[in-house]
Amino acid sequence: TLRGAHETETADILAAAGPLIGRSMLAISGDEIRRRIEQLGWVKSASVSRLYPDTVHISIRERQPAAVWQENNELSLIDETGAVIRAVSAHEYSHLPLIVGSGAPAAASGLLAALGRHGEVLEKTSALIRVGGRRWNLRLRNGVEVRLPETGYGEAVDAIALLQAAHGALDQPIEYIDLRDPERMIVKKRDEAPPQAAPTSL
């Protein structure tokens, strides 16, 4: 019997479990089966129980997609810890933020957790860009760039969420918001269009 498989293919679980039909229950190792199943991308954790006289029960907990990681033109779906679930195409999971940069998934877990506390900010975020292997920029879906500090980025995300809730700051015509200096916030508005020349009378 199997419980908890929504995204994971049953055939993949059975293949990882190995041949069970016809084997003695005493010859079946639940720990070995669990370890093999937990190698599957969607599976975060698994448990295997032997129910005598003739049943093996497998229960799995699946990973929750949090972002899409781009490296060398390849895209991978990852969870909030940065674990890779599976390869994806450019059109899959387009509602999730894109993470750009080498080694970025492992470093993104804290930022993904911070964004997860603020649904509106997360919904507006199109990309998390790793800068210099040290810090992050957020690229919003409307083109606004939010420059986060190397440390204390969680508090910076909280501050952005408060500004959005109070003033709709992320919906304003802004080029970027720079939060790298903890003592002050720098906001640069987008350049206004040049005035139209008035027609000349001859």
Side-chain angles (χ1 to χ4, degrees), residues 7-91:
E7 300 292 343
T8 313
E9 295 290 341
T10 301
D12 292 338
I13 295 174
L14 292 175
L20 298 175
I21 303 300
R23 294 184 64 190
S24 166
M25 291 285 281
L26 296 176
I28 294 173
S29 171
D31 285 340
E32 288 182 9
I33 294 174
R34 175 185 56 78
R35 284 193 291 268
R36 290 197 297 266
I37 291 175
E38 287 179 346
Q39 296 301 310
L40 300 175
W42 277 107
V43 179
K44 186 171 186 178
S45 61
S47 64
V48 179
S49 304
R50 295 181 298 177
L51 307 177
Y52 289 94
D54 58 1
T55 301
V56 174
H57 177 68
I58 299 171
S59 178
I60 68 171
R61 180 184 176 195
E62 293 185 321
R63 300 183 186 279
Q64 296 300 311
V68 175
W69 173 38
Q70 176 182 316
E71 185 181 35
N72 298 327
N73 296 321
E74 295 183 354
L75 300 175
S76 301
L77 186 66
I78 65 172
D79 71 359
E80 72 280 359
T81 69
V84 174
I85 298 173
R86 68 173 178 88
V88 294
S89 69
H91 303 293

Side-chain angles (χ1 to χ4, degrees), residues 115-134:
L115 289 169
R117 297 195 298 267
H118 305 289
E120 185 177 4
V121 178
L122 178 59
E123 185 177 332
K124 291 179 178 294
T125 301
S126 66
L128 284 61
I129 302 171
R130 190 73 168 156
V131 181
R134 300 178 298 104

Side-chain angles (χ1 to χ4, degrees), residues 82-105:
V84 174
I85 298 173
R86 68 173 178 88
V88 294
S89 69
H91 303 293
E92 292 181 280
Y93 296 93
S94 58
H95 64 287
L96 295 178
L98 183 70
I99 295 181
V100 181
S102 178

Side-chain angles (χ1 to χ4, degrees), residues 134-200:
R134 300 178 298 104
R135 64 172 196 85
W136 295 94
N137 284 346
L138 301 182
R139 179 67 51 82
L140 305 188
R141 298 186 187 278
N142 62 359
V144 175
E145 182 180 82
V146 180
R147 301 172 182 175
L148 299 176
E150 183 174 349
T151 59
Y153 54 78
E155 292 80 359
V157 172
D158 293 343
I160 286 294
L162 286 174
L163 282 174
Q164 176 63 16
H167 307 291
L170 302 180
D171 301 317
Q172 302 301 317
I174 293 171
E175 183 176 332
Y176 66 78
I177 301 174
D178 194 335
L179 298 166
R180 290 176 293 177
D181 186 341
E183 300 298 325
R184 62 172 183 161
M185 175 188 300
I186 300 174
V187 178
K188 184 180 185 301
K189 294 184 177 180
R190 293 176 186 161
D191 294 333
E192 297 180 355
Q196 299 293 322
T200 303

